[in-house]
Amino acid sequence: MADNVEIVEGCRLPVLRKNQEHEDEWPLAEILSVKEVSSRKLYYVHYIDFNKRLDEWVTGDRLDMKKLQFPKKEAKTPTKNGLPGSRPSSPEREVRKSLDLNVQSATAPSRGKTLPTPKRKVEAVSLATQVPPATPVPSLPSSTEASQASVFPAVRDPNTFKSREDHEPISSLTTNGTARRLIPSQPGRKRKANCGGTDEDSQDSSDGIPSAPRMTGSLVSDRSHDDIVTRMKNIECIELGRHRLKPWYFSPYPQELTALPILYLCEFCLKYLKSLKCLQRHLTKCNLRHPPGNEIYRKGTISFFEIDGRKNKTYSQNLCLLAKCFLDHKTLYYDTDPFLFYVMTEYDSKGFHIVGYFSKEKESTEDYNVACILTLPPYQRRGYGKLLIEFSYELSKVEGKTGTPEKPLSDLGLLSYRSYWSQTILEILMDLKPDNGERPQITINEISEITSVKKEDVISTLQYLNLINYYKMWLFSYKKYGQYILTLSEDIVDGHERAMQKRHLRIDPKCLHFTPKDWSKRGKW
Amino acid sequence: MSKLSFRARALDASKPLPVYRSRDLPDLADCGSINRAVPQMPTGMEKDEELEHHLQRAISAKQVFREKKENMVIPVPEAESNATYYDRLYRGDVKVPKQPIHIQPWGLDLDQPDYDMDSEDETLLIRLNRKMEIRPLQFETMVDRLEKATTHQLVSLSEAKLLLNEDDFLLQSVYDYWVRKRRSYGAPPFRCGAPPLRCGAPPLTPRVKQERRDGSTNGDAYVAFRRRTEKMQTRKNRKNDEASYEKMLRLRREFSRTVSILEMIKRREKSKRELLHLTLEEVERRYQMEDFSGETLREVSLPLVEKPAYSIPVTLNNRHRTDIKTVFQKKPVSVTDQLPFNLMRPKQTARRDRAGPPQRRPCRPAGPFTVNKADIQQYDFHSSGEEDSPPPPLSPSSSSEEEEEEENHPDGVYVFRRKAGCQYLSPGTKQAGGVDPALLQLPPCVRHSLAELILPPHWTGLSRRRIGRGGRILLDRASSVLDPVLKQLDQKPPLTSGATAASLTEVLSNIQTLRRFCFRPRPVQGPREGGTRTTESSLEDNRVTCCLSPRNNSGGITEEQYHIHQRQLIQMQKQQLEKLQNPVLYRHPAPCGTQSTKSSESSSKTLDSASAQFAASAVISAAPPPPPPPPPRGHVTTENKPYKANGVLHPSGPSRPPYSSSSSLSRLGLSARGSSSSSSSSSSSPQSLPNQRNQLGSVSLTHQHTARPSVPPTSALKLAAAAAAAATASLDRAPKVSTARDSHESERPLNGLSETTLPMEVT
């Protein structure tokens, strides 16, 4: 049966994947794209409720066709049926999109909302209304607002295939705006649902007339540009020095390079080259052996280079392109002028190899001391990320400010920062000595000042570690008395001590040669 | 229990938190931790991503194990690190410099070609190298240049030749290869089947897609690093700050103004109260004195009242002027006699009381006096002016200069204002006729001297030469008590404008007379200004100019003008001759016995300027005959300049004999004439001194007292400004002027001694 069904974009079905224990799993996935390579169909799947970085091209035999769910009429996943192999940004696609827009009601949620949530998944399963494959009806783009299901319970008929005609009334029903307005917003999507206005914008963005994103910061949080193109990885492999990296996300490298099996990068200037030969030739001309900036920190083999996004555009752009491969929310919409880039390198006899970097706004309106931060995959889970974070706070200490990373954080970012914050705060709390017999005390502000960690982050960490408690007692047996206290439990202390033993890489403030510039006094960054 | 009712206070970040080990607080669990008062902090992640399985798993693992577990980490796509050829690729070892690396950011862009040769190029290179030697770098440079020169269209071969300075064969081969490669570059089958959207042939050097100006690329995911069109707003409030700062400044200014206004109001009210008290006191005193008719009061207060009036002349702008005053005090004693009767008696008595020092200003209280408060208030002038007679003739206050300045208050804020409590001394006294050393030091331009204009309108009187704007020479006339006498000296020219026109020259001279800007000094008090007029303002308009200046060349010289000029010249020559025969015509106004020799000297000086005037006109008239248009004009002006300069800068000092100066001037005029190679060289015959004088007369305007009412401007000499039309216009104007003059004439008896100046403009 599965053979005669054409799987189109937007379909959902369980897809086989190996988990970390190398066991087979069949998580539900969404087909984002279909292509044919040497008469074999490949499907780009996004595992719902897994990070996009795990999205991949799979062969048909990994799909569980029995549980196929066709996209709802207004399935927002853009359908590109009948156009095998068409690239996301092909002209036809653009036309289609604009057509879609016309059909779409103004209140149609943006594509950006298509991100799956658990709840939706459940409903989507039951929802599975089908569009006959290859019907050019894609013009009902639409949101996967799952709660539609409850509005039209009758439609639920997962595995039946009806003719398109049968469904037409439904589609018209479902696509009409009033029906949608009835949809209660789901908890998980609350934020987006709240900004109904931005939905329009995000729609526009997929239509090619987007409103430009904000100009501050370096991360996109509203996903207004999360169209099908950017949802898919476009580079298969990047060779950088000794390493071959599998990109996690889309990156706007020149489009002609996206077709290459391997994109070669010069390890030091990060120039992208289409072939090894070109790289070879380039290396005869490129004499960089370190990032083209000033070395503001060196201890052991670890160095930090500061690069001005305005003065060294080429390198900054190349770095951003590379970083985008691993940062989902990073935007490259605007130039790099207002940023400084701090590139961490590890030295060996070949030069200063890039390990990771973070960028930082020269002037931040929101106390951000980090815009984007990345440890390159080969160096991950070895303490470099924490080192980068630590360095960013060292800079803030020199500046005499508290700082916080720009939001949104990625999953790995959250874990890394939490870990850093926990260790930093615990370090301080454990070092507190009783003050002439009194119990040691500290205020949140003090912690913030010592660490340069923004107050909110301190509080959230204390909460997360469950250190902060409201301790109450009876005074004189009739009056209740309560106060906040910090309690260090045994397992916290032990865990911290163990973690600190493993944390070898530390930033040595003495090795930092950094004078903050007052960018506000300069005309330009 | 009451646990739940127990509300925790909000967490205060500045409040010290005691740190406990959990072993110190065995009862912690009992007490329970109430975290709800502390709002849960957002994680800072996207909500939907936060719910991803792996993250949740990792977070919970961390919570449980307090440590990372290998299998609980978030999986990521793998990375390999086994590029075997790495060492071959990146050759050479790098030593760590001792010092931190410092880089010059601008020096990074070396002149290396951006293009990197690929294997396809390599085969070409190998092929080419059979015939010639070409290095990869050379090839890359060539391609790079071609690439960079290509925008929308490929570089043509001819362009390429210009671009690449290479051997023809090499160029041809590389160019052909490049074109082929470039054309086919878009075509190769892509992995995904359909070639990506591209506009035109993609560059061989891959570059990140650039934004397009039209905004069509705004949604293109492949376009990156767009320019920030608006200046990033880095400080949210900066603009506000600036605005509010300015507002604060303004507020402050306004407040301080309010304060000062209130301060002044306070003072005013105090004064009012004081005045009231004083009045009360005064009335009481009067009552006590039984001065019901107010006579005593008048007696007491009169001297006070006149002060403001007399003090007006003191409103001089500078000390200089004061000197002038002294100069002009050589007035006949008879002046007092001529004072109009409307002078108040008290004043006269007062004057007599103070009669000690010789008085130049009859109406003015001589000697020191204190300016009282009332004096300070300029507005009081009105009242005092009403009461008082106009200032006496020749008093410096009415000197032309002052009058001029009072007209527009050119000094603006620097205008002299009397100060309360200051003593202003009357000018120093000089014996009439005595040679005043101060006078000698005076620049001649500020002195009035007796002078005579021989040319119509004939006029004899006090005048003064000065330089007006634009270098024009003005003759300021001052009317004086001598006027009646001087008037008699003025001979009425034979205004034979009648039908029997004796000669052409006469007619011409009549015409000239009609056209000159020349105005008599106007009496001080004109009824048109009403009683409210201040003394100063009464002096307005007394100055009129006689403008001989070729003011602008805009119109060029019309033929008519030219002819007029010619005739004028002839006439002048004639007059010269006349004067030669009758040298007595110019003389010191003998009847004015008070006129000092000095004044005659200075008058001669004035005449100098007049002669200068003449020379100028001579130059003008010497313009080449037949084609009268502009050239002569320009010539004239240029010729004129040095002349003027001479007249102005070289005014013969008082000690200098008038003749010498005039002769020098005439010489100048001569030279000017000579340079212009005028046809009318007859006038330029070497001249004797009397001749000079005649010349002078012929040029200068003789103001006729009789003819005074109707003194129309003379456009004939006013070459520059006057086109033919203008000439007629000026003629038209004549009657108007005359009527005005008539009215003035009628006022005159009322005014009594009018004192005004009459500037004449000479260029």
Side-chain angles (χ1 to χ4, degrees):
Chain A
M1 174 184 162
D3 290 341
N4 36 25
V5 174
E6 188 167 349
I7 295 166
V8 296
E9 287 93 339
C11 290
R12 293 182 169 209
L13 73 179
V15 175
L16 174 71
R17 83 174 283 273
K18 300 259 186 220
N19 67 12
Q20 281 147 294
E21 284 84 31
H22 297 283
E23 300 158 359
D24 286 357
E25 279 182 353
W26 290 87
L28 186 71
E30 181 179 349
I31 306 291
L32 291 186
S33 184
V34 183
K35 72 176 178 183
E36 203 167 314
V37 176
S38 54
S39 73
R40 243 178 108 208
K41 277 207 172 155
L42 289 179
Y43 303 92
Y44 191 86
V45 295
H46 166 68
Y47 300 102
I48 289 164
D49 286 326
F50 290 88
N51 193 278
K52 271 198 280 180
R53 68 173 77 90
L54 298 180
D55 294 1
E56 56 187 339
W57 288 100
V58 297
T59 50
D61 54 350
R62 283 175 63 183
L63 308 179
D64 182 1
M65 301 298 275
K66 290 193 283 297
K67 294 186 183 160
L68 178 71
Q69 312 164 11
F70 276 93
K72 289 169 290 174
K73 277 291 175 180
E74 1 90 71
K76 65 75 167 330
T77 314
T79 50
K80 297 198 284 174
N81 34 9
L83 294 170
S86 70
R87 299 284 296 174
S89 64
S90 65
E92 302 91 330
R93 164 108 203 92
E94 296 303 322
V95 173
R96 173 81 43 74
K97 276 182 194 166
S98 48
L99 277 177
D100 291 355
L101 247 199
N102 296 335
V103 184
Q104 240 170 341
S105 70
T107 49
S110 70
R111 291 194 173 92
K113 290 193 167 183
T114 60
L115 287 180
T117 61
K119 213 178 190 177
R120 181 180 61 205
K121 177 183 68 183
V122 175
E123 283 165 355
V125 175
S126 57
L127 230 191
T129 51
Q130 325 70 11
V131 183
T135 22
V137 189
S139 47
L140 301 175
S142 61
S143 70
T144 37
E145 283 292 343
S147 30
Q148 292 273 332
S150 57
V151 181
F152 307 102
V155 189
R156 299 182 186 177
D157 195 359
N159 290 320
T160 347
F161 293 92
K162 293 183 180 174
S163 72
R164 177 188 164 199
E165 290 71 34
D166 289 343
H167 276 277
E168 260 173 359
I170 291 165
S171 64
S172 61
L173 254 180
T174 51
T175 45
N176 91 29
T178 42
R180 285 191 190 189
R181 279 191 207 109
L182 298 175
I183 301 163
S185 58
Q186 299 173 0
R189 314 168 123 268
K190 198 172 180 188
R191 185 184 56 83
K192 280 173 187 168
N194 284 346
C195 36
T198 55
D199 283 350
E200 308 281 324
D201 295 344
S202 43
Q203 240 175 25
D204 285 350
S205 74
S206 58
D207 190 38
I209 333 155
S211 57
R214 70 196 168 120
M215 282 205 269
T216 54
S218 61
L219 298 176
V220 190
S221 61
D222 60 2
R223 295 264 177 173
S224 60
H225 283 263
D226 199 8
D227 62 10
I228 189 66
V229 182
T230 54
R231 284 181 73 194
M232 289 169 57
K233 304 171 188 182
N234 57 342
I235 309 280
E236 199 159 300
C237 183
I238 286 178
E239 186 174 301
L240 175 75
R242 283 195 181 87
H243 314 291
R244 287 217 174 150
L245 316 172
K246 294 264 190 235
W248 301 356
Y249 308 105
F250 170 86
S251 180
Y253 275 108
Q255 218 165 343
E256 57 266 29
L257 301 181
T258 58
L260 302 168
I262 294 179
L263 179 63
Y264 293 88
L265 257 56
C266 167
E267 195 191 359
F268 298 108
C269 77
L270 303 181
K271 182 179 178 177
Y272 38 87
L273 300 139
K274 60 179 181 180
S275 69
L276 191 58
K277 177 71 204 167
C278 289
L279 177 60
Q280 243 170 1
R281 281 298 311 153
H282 167 74
L283 288 175
T284 62
K285 293 177 279 183
C286 177
N287 45 16
L288 274 182
R289 285 298 178 267
H290 56 81
N294 293 333
E295 192 182 14
I296 60 167
Y297 176 91
R298 186 196 293 167
K299 183 169 194 194
T301 56
I302 297 292
S303 292
F304 275 88
F305 290 82
E306 186 187 57
I307 286 127
D308 187 322
R310 188 170 77 86
K311 291 183 183 165
N312 206 333
K313 282 189 204 292
T314 314
Y315 183 83
S316 307
Q317 292 185 358
N318 290 342
L319 179 60
C320 284
L321 286 169
L322 173 63
K324 180 67 189 76
C325 291
F326 308 100
L327 297 172
D328 191 11
H329 292 277
K330 182 174 175 59
T331 176
L332 302 187
Y333 196 85
Y334 290 117
D335 60 33
T336 57
D337 287 18
F339 293 98
L340 292 171
F341 296 88
Y342 294 94
V343 179
M344 182 169 73
T345 62
E346 192 169 41
Y347 169 78
D348 73 7
S349 62
K350 291 292 178 190
F352 296 79
H353 307 282
I354 178 168
V355 168
Y357 90 106
F358 67 90
S359 58
K360 177 175 183 170
E361 282 178 286
K362 292 172 182 173
E363 285 180 282
S364 174
T365 52
E366 286 158 282
D367 294 339
Y368 293 145
N369 65 351
V370 162
C372 294
I373 185 163
L374 170 73
T375 309
L376 286 175
Y379 297 94
Q380 284 173 359
R381 303 190 47 226
R382 285 155 60 178
Y384 290 112
K386 216 161 279 170
L387 202 62
L388 280 169
I389 295 172
E390 190 176 2
F391 188 79
S392 75
Y393 281 109
E394 285 302 329
L395 294 186
S396 288
K397 285 179 195 171
V398 176
E399 289 169 352
K401 297 174 184 168
T402 62
T404 186
E406 190 178 328
K407 309 296 181 304
L409 292 175
S410 68
D411 47 0
L412 294 170
L414 178 68
L415 292 184
S416 302
Y417 265 100
R418 270 196 182 161
S419 170
Y420 173 79
W421 291 332
S422 304
Q423 293 184 4
T424 310
I425 291 169
L426 283 174
E427 226 176 359
I428 289 173
L429 295 184
M430 312 249 290
D431 282 356
L432 285 178
K433 294 282 173 279
D435 195 20
N436 52 15
E438 291 285 304
R439 188 153 292 282
Q441 292 188 335
I442 196 161
T443 68
I444 288 166
N445 284 341
E446 278 164 359
I447 297 175
S448 180
E449 273 164 39
I450 296 167
T451 59
S452 271
V453 175
K454 210 180 172 188
K455 192 172 71 185
E456 287 76 11
D457 294 332
V458 174
I459 295 173
S460 77
T461 306
L462 292 174
Q463 278 179 342
Y464 163 75
L465 292 174
N466 210 16
L467 294 186
I468 192 154
N469 286 293
Y470 198 69
Y471 186 76
K472 58 186 177 359
M473 62 199 88
W474 290 96
L475 282 185
F476 315 119
S477 73
Y478 64 89
K479 191 181 174 193
K480 277 180 287 188
Y481 169 79
Q483 82 175 125
Y484 283 102
I485 58 165
L486 297 175
T487 46
L488 299 170
S489 64
E490 296 297 333
D491 61 328
I492 292 262
V493 172
D494 293 349
H496 173 70
E497 275 165 358
R498 261 178 286 142
M500 291 313 281
Q501 275 169 13
K502 284 196 231 161
R503 192 172 162 190
H504 308 295
L505 286 173
R506 293 302 295 264
I507 292 294
D508 184 353
K510 289 192 290 295
C511 299
L512 175 64
H513 310 288
F514 171 71
T515 13
K517 299 187 182 79
D518 186 0
W519 297 97
S520 64
K521 284 193 181 151
R522 304 176 176 220
K524 279 191 150 190
W525 308 288
Chain B
M1 218 184 79
S2 62
K3 241 185 214 171
L4 285 176
S5 68
F6 194 83
R7 276 244 169 259
R9 271 170 292 179
L11 180 63
D12 185 355
S14 53
K15 210 172 175 199
L17 308 170
V19 181
Y20 291 88
R21 301 282 170 136
S22 42
R23 60 173 174 269
D24 302 333
L25 286 173
D27 61 334
L28 185 64
D30 297 343
C31 292
S33 60
I34 300 175
N35 258 337
R36 62 186 171 174
V38 186
Q40 201 65 39
M41 287 287 170
T43 59
M45 277 189 69
E46 291 279 293
K47 286 285 180 213
D48 34 21
E49 285 178 19
E50 210 176 337
L51 299 170
E52 283 168 0
H53 290 326
H54 288 131
L55 176 66
Q56 289 303 319
R57 202 177 55 173
I59 288 174
S60 49
K62 203 119 205 262
Q63 295 277 27
V64 172
F65 302 109
R66 292 283 162 220
E67 236 185 319
K68 270 187 281 187
K69 289 277 175 260
E70 262 321 295
N71 54 355
M72 292 295 178
V73 295
I74 296 175
V76 297
E78 72 280 19
E80 308 163 21
S81 303
N82 49 2
T84 48
Y85 45 79
Y86 178 79
D87 286 337
R88 272 180 289 131
L89 207 54
Y90 295 85
R91 280 163 212 227
D93 285 0
V94 180
K95 285 263 172 281
V96 191
K98 284 246 167 56
Q99 292 300 310
I101 294 164
H102 194 85
I103 208 163
Q104 294 302 319
W106 305 113
L108 290 172
D109 295 328
L110 298 169
D111 261 350
Q112 300 281 22
D114 283 339
Y115 181 75
D116 299 307
M117 204 170 66
D118 59 16
S119 7
E120 194 185 355
D121 302 334
E122 204 170 26
T123 50
L124 171 84
L125 224 62
I126 292 166
R127 198 154 45 80
L128 284 176
N129 268 331
R130 283 181 213 140
K131 290 172 188 159
M132 70 190 67
E133 192 166 337
I134 174 168
R135 284 165 293 108
L137 191 64
Q138 193 184 354
F139 174 79
E140 282 172 353
T141 311
M142 290 172 79
V143 176
D144 195 51
R145 284 198 190 153
L146 290 172
E147 279 292 323
K148 280 176 180 159
T150 297
T151 48
H152 296 294
Q153 287 191 325
L154 294 189
V155 176
S156 71
L157 183 59
S158 50
E159 285 171 324
K161 276 178 180 162
L162 290 173
L163 215 58
L164 312 169
N165 192 16
E166 298 286 355
D167 171 78
D168 262 1
F169 172 74
L170 174 63
L171 191 140
Q172 186 72 49
S173 349
V174 172
Y175 178 76
D176 288 346
Y177 171 80
W178 173 72
V179 169
R180 237 181 306 124
K181 178 163 183 164
R182 178 112 196 185
R183 290 214 173 116
S184 64
Y185 189 61
F190 277 78
R191 173 173 75 130
C192 50
L197 172 67
R198 60 184 74 244
C199 35
L204 294 183
T205 322
R207 255 174 290 151
V208 171
K209 223 192 234 181
Q210 301 275 303
E211 67 177 318
R212 257 179 273 153
R213 289 282 179 160
D214 54 9
S216 62
T217 55
N218 280 5
D220 191 335
Y222 278 97
V223 175
F225 311 118
R226 293 165 176 85
R227 259 169 310 200
R228 285 164 209 261
T229 43
E230 301 148 42
K231 169 106 174 78
M232 197 173 83
Q233 196 167 356
T234 46
R235 290 284 152 88
K236 280 177 182 167
N237 302 327
R238 181 174 287 178
K239 205 171 181 183
N240 278 348
D241 285 350
E242 206 171 305
S244 51
Y245 175 65
E246 268 166 21
K247 272 182 197 153
M248 296 292 269
L249 280 183
R250 209 172 59 204
L251 204 62
R252 200 204 125 92
R253 267 202 305 273
E254 275 163 13
F255 270 128
S256 68
R257 208 162 59 201
T258 311
V259 166
S260 69
I261 285 174
L262 287 174
E263 204 62 49
M264 290 193 295
I265 288 174
K266 200 171 100 184
R267 254 164 50 199
R268 187 189 66 191
E269 296 304 316
K270 270 186 182 170
S271 304
K272 271 185 181 172
R273 195 179 57 182
E274 206 175 331
L275 180 68
L276 192 68
H277 286 318
L278 285 173
T279 314
L280 191 67
E281 199 180 340
E282 181 196 298
V283 171
E284 271 173 10
R285 290 277 160 83
R286 277 172 64 194
Y287 178 73
Q288 284 162 12
M289 290 170 66
E290 301 184 353
D291 175 28
F292 300 116
S293 62
E295 238 169 72
T296 323
L297 175 70
R298 217 173 304 134
E299 262 175 46
V300 175
S301 55
L302 264 177
L304 287 174
V305 173
E306 67 188 329
K307 266 178 204 164
Y310 296 139
S311 59
I312 294 160
V314 188
T315 338
L316 295 173
N317 291 347
N318 47 31
R319 157 119 188 85
H320 190 64
R321 203 74 58 73
T322 326
D323 287 341
I324 304 167
K325 255 178 265 166
T326 60
V327 171
F328 283 103
Q329 310 211 332
K330 339 148 211 156
K331 217 179 336 171
V333 189
S334 62
V335 164
T336 12
D337 302 332
Q338 294 181 4
L339 282 172
F341 266 129
N342 56 1
L343 278 179
M344 289 181 71
R345 183 197 58 86
K347 244 187 262 169
Q348 285 191 346
T349 47
R351 205 186 313 128
R352 257 174 238 138
D353 295 342
R354 288 177 239 111
Q359 288 192 24
R360 300 300 108 111
R361 263 140 272 183
C363 292
R364 180 180 192 153
F369 63 92
T370 309
V371 181
N372 63 16
K373 251 189 191 164
D375 290 332
I376 297 166
Q377 295 175 356
Q378 305 105 303
Y379 311 98
D380 282 358
F381 286 157
H382 296 303
S383 52
S384 58
E386 277 160 25
E387 272 184 290
D388 294 337
S389 71
L394 261 188
S395 91
S397 71
S398 45
S399 81
S400 68
E401 244 177 274
E402 174 141 19
E403 148 197 41
E404 248 173 43
E405 282 164 18
E406 296 296 340
E407 257 175 345
N408 326 323
H409 282 290
D411 285 337
V413 291
Y414 300 108
V415 137
F416 179 82
R417 297 237 156 74
R418 278 166 293 160
K419 241 180 168 177
C422 263
Q423 284 205 334
Y424 290 90
L425 300 178
S426 71
T429 59
K430 296 281 182 286
Q431 294 304 322
V435 178
D436 181 8
L439 175 65
L440 296 180
Q441 287 159 13
L442 273 181
C445 58
V446 296
R447 269 166 284 159
H448 281 81
S449 353
L450 270 177
E452 179 192 20
L453 284 181
I454 302 171
L455 263 189
H458 298 282
W459 173 74
T460 314
L462 287 174
S463 70
R464 190 192 54 171
R465 188 198 55 205
R466 64 188 170 85
I467 305 158
R469 262 179 307 177
R472 287 172 298 191
I473 293 171
L474 304 177
L475 286 184
D476 291 331
R477 286 174 51 184
S479 70
S480 69
V481 280
L482 301 176
D483 276 355
V485 188
L486 294 173
K487 209 194 291 184
Q488 288 158 15
L489 288 173
D490 290 337
Q491 269 141 13
K492 204 177 202 167
L495 239 180
T496 46
S497 56
T500 51
S503 67
L504 183 64
T505 54
E506 273 171 8
V507 174
L508 274 175
S509 72
N510 285 346
I511 294 172
Q512 279 180 342
T513 313
L514 288 174
R515 287 181 184 172
R516 264 170 214 146
F517 277 128
C518 190
F519 301 96
R520 65 175 181 86
R522 206 191 45 208
V524 172
Q525 209 166 355
R528 68 201 149 99
E529 302 205 43
T532 56
R533 180 177 33 82
T534 70
T535 332
E536 282 84 2
S537 70
S538 76
L539 301 176
E540 284 172 28
D541 301 332
N542 286 345
R543 170 185 58 104
V544 190
T545 52
C546 162
C547 178
L548 303 179
S549 71
R551 223 182 321 194
N552 55 24
N553 300 341
S554 60
I557 297 182
T558 61
E559 208 171 54
E560 190 191 348
Q561 279 177 306
Y562 175 72
H563 288 305
I564 288 170
H565 229 15
Q566 288 283 342
R567 277 172 233 151
Q568 227 180 312
L569 203 65
I570 294 164
Q571 191 219 349
M572 283 192 280
Q573 285 170 330
K574 275 193 180 162
Q575 279 175 338
Q576 249 172 292
L577 278 174
E578 238 173 16
K579 299 284 149 65
L580 258 178
Q581 288 150 10
N582 188 12
V584 203
L585 219 147
Y586 175 81
R587 69 208 151 217
H588 298 294
C592 336
T594 52
Q595 185 67 37
S596 68
T597 50
K598 196 167 38 56
S599 77
S600 83
E601 268 175 9
S602 48
S603 82
S604 76
K605 230 189 317 114
T606 317
L607 290 175
D608 283 26
S609 78
S611 72
Q613 206 179 311
F614 166 68
S617 69
V619 170
I620 291 162
S621 59
R633 205 119 256 291
H635 185 66
V636 166
T637 38
T638 48
E639 288 290 346
N640 254 345
K641 260 177 193 160
Y643 195 109
K644 263 188 274 175
N646 206 333
V648 171
L649 301 174
H650 241 323
S652 34
S655 56
R656 199 172 163 190
Y659 302 121
S660 69
S661 78
S662 45
S663 74
S664 76
L665 290 171
S666 78
R667 251 184 283 124
L668 222 170
L670 271 178
S671 66
R673 233 177 299 171
S675 69
S676 61
S677 71
S678 141
S679 60
S680 56
S681 57
S682 59
S683 65
S684 62
S685 55
Q687 270 136 33
S688 58
L689 293 178
N691 210 359
Q692 286 297 325
R693 216 176 280 148
N694 288 346
Q695 245 178 335
L696 219 176
S698 70
V699 181
S700 51
L701 312 175
T702 312
H703 198 193
Q704 280 227 311
H705 269 276
T706 46
R708 198 187 273 166
S710 55
V711 188
T714 324
S715 65
L717 288 179
K718 203 176 133 194
L719 289 174
T728 53
S730 63
L731 277 174
D732 292 343
R733 240 183 299 156
K736 256 187 278 168
V737 174
S738 70
T739 52
R741 289 299 160 195
D742 281 338
S743 68
H744 284 225
E745 207 75 56
S746 60
E747 294 158 26
R748 243 178 120 220
L750 292 174
N751 298 341
L753 295 173
S754 66
E755 194 272 16
T756 48
T757 51
L758 173 90
M760 289 189 293
E761 228 174 29
V762 182
T763 312

